mmCIF file of all heavy atoms in Angstrom:
data_model
loop_
_atom_site.group_PDB
_atom_site.id
_atom_site.type_symbol
_atom_site.label_atom_id
_atom_site.label_comp_id
_atom_site.label_asym_id
_atom_site.label_seq_id
_atom_site.Cartn_x
_atom_site.Cartn_y
_atom_site.Cartn_z
ATOM 1 N N ILE Z 198 46.037 9.668 -49.187
ATOM 2 C CA ILE Z 198 46.319 8.392 -49.805
ATOM 3 C C ILE Z 198 46.557 7.370 -48.713
ATOM 4 O O ILE Z 198 47.370 7.578 -47.801
ATOM 5 C CB ILE Z 198 47.560 8.461 -50.722
ATOM 6 C CG1 ILE Z 198 47.389 9.604 -51.728
ATOM 7 C CG2 ILE Z 198 47.794 7.129 -51.418
ATOM 8 C CD1 ILE Z 198 48.665 9.992 -52.423
ATOM 9 N N ASN Z 199 45.836 6.263 -48.781
ATOM 10 C CA ASN Z 199 46.022 5.164 -47.828
ATOM 11 C C ASN Z 199 46.601 3.969 -48.559
ATOM 12 O O ASN Z 199 46.077 3.545 -49.599
ATOM 13 C CB ASN Z 199 44.704 4.795 -47.183
ATOM 14 C CG ASN Z 199 44.156 5.895 -46.322
ATOM 15 O OD1 ASN Z 199 43.385 6.712 -46.779
ATOM 16 N ND2 ASN Z 199 44.572 5.935 -45.081
ATOM 17 N N TYR Z 200 47.654 3.398 -47.992
ATOM 18 C CA TYR Z 200 48.347 2.256 -48.566
ATOM 19 C C TYR Z 200 47.830 0.943 -47.980
ATOM 20 O O TYR Z 200 48.215 -0.118 -48.453
ATOM 21 C CB TYR Z 200 49.846 2.299 -48.299
ATOM 22 C CG TYR Z 200 50.555 3.543 -48.820
ATOM 23 C CD1 TYR Z 200 51.797 3.892 -48.273
ATOM 24 C CD2 TYR Z 200 50.021 4.345 -49.797
ATOM 25 C CE1 TYR Z 200 52.474 5.028 -48.751
ATOM 26 C CE2 TYR Z 200 50.713 5.466 -50.266
ATOM 27 C CZ TYR Z 200 51.922 5.802 -49.735
ATOM 28 O OH TYR Z 200 52.602 6.900 -50.162
ATOM 29 N N SER Z 201 46.984 1.005 -46.920
ATOM 30 C CA SER Z 201 46.587 -0.229 -46.248
ATOM 31 C C SER Z 201 45.169 -0.104 -45.694
ATOM 32 O O SER Z 201 44.657 1.005 -45.482
ATOM 33 C CB SER Z 201 47.554 -0.563 -45.129
ATOM 34 O OG SER Z 201 47.419 0.370 -44.081
ATOM 35 N N LYS Z 202 44.593 -1.257 -45.383
ATOM 36 C CA LYS Z 202 43.286 -1.310 -44.747
ATOM 37 C C LYS Z 202 43.337 -0.627 -43.375
ATOM 38 O O LYS Z 202 42.395 0.099 -43.004
ATOM 39 C CB LYS Z 202 42.843 -2.768 -44.519
ATOM 40 C CG LYS Z 202 42.589 -3.527 -45.758
ATOM 41 C CD LYS Z 202 42.256 -4.987 -45.447
ATOM 42 C CE LYS Z 202 42.204 -5.814 -46.708
ATOM 43 N NZ LYS Z 202 41.925 -7.214 -46.438
ATOM 44 N N GLU Z 203 44.426 -0.835 -42.657
ATOM 45 C CA GLU Z 203 44.555 -0.303 -41.308
ATOM 46 C C GLU Z 203 44.538 1.219 -41.302
ATOM 47 O O GLU Z 203 43.848 1.854 -40.525
ATOM 48 C CB GLU Z 203 45.811 -0.818 -40.611
ATOM 49 C CG GLU Z 203 45.779 -2.299 -40.308
ATOM 50 C CD GLU Z 203 45.992 -3.188 -41.535
ATOM 51 O OE1 GLU Z 203 46.676 -2.747 -42.512
ATOM 52 O OE2 GLU Z 203 45.503 -4.310 -41.549
ATOM 53 N N SER Z 204 45.337 1.824 -42.184
ATOM 54 C CA SER Z 204 45.398 3.293 -42.203
ATOM 55 C C SER Z 204 44.063 3.879 -42.661
ATOM 56 O O SER Z 204 43.648 4.919 -42.160
ATOM 57 C CB SER Z 204 46.568 3.784 -43.065
ATOM 58 O OG SER Z 204 46.358 3.521 -44.421
ATOM 59 N N PHE Z 205 43.391 3.216 -43.584
ATOM 60 C CA PHE Z 205 42.091 3.699 -44.063
ATOM 61 C C PHE Z 205 41.083 3.622 -42.932
ATOM 62 O O PHE Z 205 40.343 4.569 -42.679
ATOM 63 C CB PHE Z 205 41.624 2.909 -45.282
ATOM 64 C CG PHE Z 205 40.404 3.454 -45.938
ATOM 65 C CD1 PHE Z 205 40.511 4.470 -46.902
ATOM 66 C CD2 PHE Z 205 39.129 2.970 -45.645
ATOM 67 C CE1 PHE Z 205 39.386 4.995 -47.511
ATOM 68 C CE2 PHE Z 205 38.022 3.479 -46.259
ATOM 69 C CZ PHE Z 205 38.125 4.480 -47.213
ATOM 70 N N LYS Z 206 41.055 2.476 -42.254
ATOM 71 C CA LYS Z 206 40.102 2.286 -41.149
ATOM 72 C C LYS Z 206 40.310 3.278 -40.023
ATOM 73 O O LYS Z 206 39.356 3.756 -39.424
ATOM 74 C CB LYS Z 206 40.232 0.845 -40.630
ATOM 75 C CG LYS Z 206 39.297 0.497 -39.512
ATOM 76 C CD LYS Z 206 39.502 -0.932 -39.056
ATOM 77 C CE LYS Z 206 38.589 -1.264 -37.900
ATOM 78 N NZ LYS Z 206 38.807 -2.622 -37.395
ATOM 79 N N ASN Z 207 41.590 3.586 -39.730
ATOM 80 C CA ASN Z 207 41.914 4.486 -38.630
ATOM 81 C C ASN Z 207 41.939 5.961 -39.040
ATOM 82 O O ASN Z 207 42.272 6.811 -38.223
ATOM 83 C CB ASN Z 207 43.297 4.121 -38.049
ATOM 84 C CG ASN Z 207 43.277 2.737 -37.428
ATOM 85 O OD1 ASN Z 207 42.291 2.312 -36.897
ATOM 86 N ND2 ASN Z 207 44.408 2.065 -37.520
ATOM 87 N N HIS Z 208 41.557 6.254 -40.266
ATOM 88 C CA HIS Z 208 41.542 7.622 -40.789
ATOM 89 C C HIS Z 208 42.902 8.323 -40.616
ATOM 90 O O HIS Z 208 42.965 9.498 -40.290
ATOM 91 C CB HIS Z 208 40.443 8.459 -40.083
ATOM 92 C CG HIS Z 208 39.094 7.862 -40.210
ATOM 93 N ND1 HIS Z 208 38.338 7.902 -41.358
ATOM 94 C CD2 HIS Z 208 38.349 7.185 -39.297
ATOM 95 C CE1 HIS Z 208 37.193 7.278 -41.176
ATOM 96 N NE2 HIS Z 208 37.173 6.809 -39.939
ATOM 97 N N SER Z 209 43.962 7.563 -40.799
ATOM 98 C CA SER Z 209 45.312 8.105 -40.706
ATOM 99 C C SER Z 209 46.009 7.932 -42.056
ATOM 100 O O SER Z 209 46.560 6.862 -42.338
ATOM 101 C CB SER Z 209 46.102 7.420 -39.570
ATOM 102 O OG SER Z 209 46.191 6.041 -39.795
ATOM 103 N N ALA Z 210 45.958 8.915 -42.867
ATOM 104 C CA ALA Z 210 46.494 8.861 -44.216
ATOM 105 C C ALA Z 210 47.997 8.579 -44.177
ATOM 106 O O ALA Z 210 48.706 9.068 -43.312
ATOM 107 C CB ALA Z 210 46.241 10.161 -44.961
ATOM 108 N N ASP Z 211 48.445 7.770 -45.142
ATOM 109 C CA ASP Z 211 49.866 7.517 -45.279
ATOM 110 C C ASP Z 211 50.559 8.689 -45.973
ATOM 111 O O ASP Z 211 51.734 8.925 -45.778
ATOM 112 C CB ASP Z 211 50.101 6.219 -46.072
ATOM 113 C CG ASP Z 211 49.605 5.015 -45.300
ATOM 114 O OD1 ASP Z 211 50.113 4.786 -44.211
ATOM 115 O OD2 ASP Z 211 48.696 4.329 -45.795
ATOM 116 N N LYS Z 212 49.807 9.410 -46.796
ATOM 117 C CA LYS Z 212 50.337 10.587 -47.459
ATOM 118 C C LYS Z 212 49.184 11.567 -47.697
ATOM 119 O O LYS Z 212 48.073 11.146 -48.026
ATOM 120 C CB LYS Z 212 50.968 10.216 -48.796
ATOM 121 C CG LYS Z 212 51.622 11.382 -49.493
ATOM 122 C CD LYS Z 212 52.400 10.918 -50.714
ATOM 123 C CE LYS Z 212 53.162 12.093 -51.302
ATOM 124 N NZ LYS Z 212 54.043 11.688 -52.360
#
Side-chain angles (χ1 to χ4, degrees):
I198 306 165
N199 293 93
Y200 303 160
S201 68
K202 294 176 189 178
E203 292 76 27
S204 68
F205 189 84
K206 181 180 177 181
N207 296 328
H208 305 284
S209 58
D211 293 300
K212 184 172 186 173

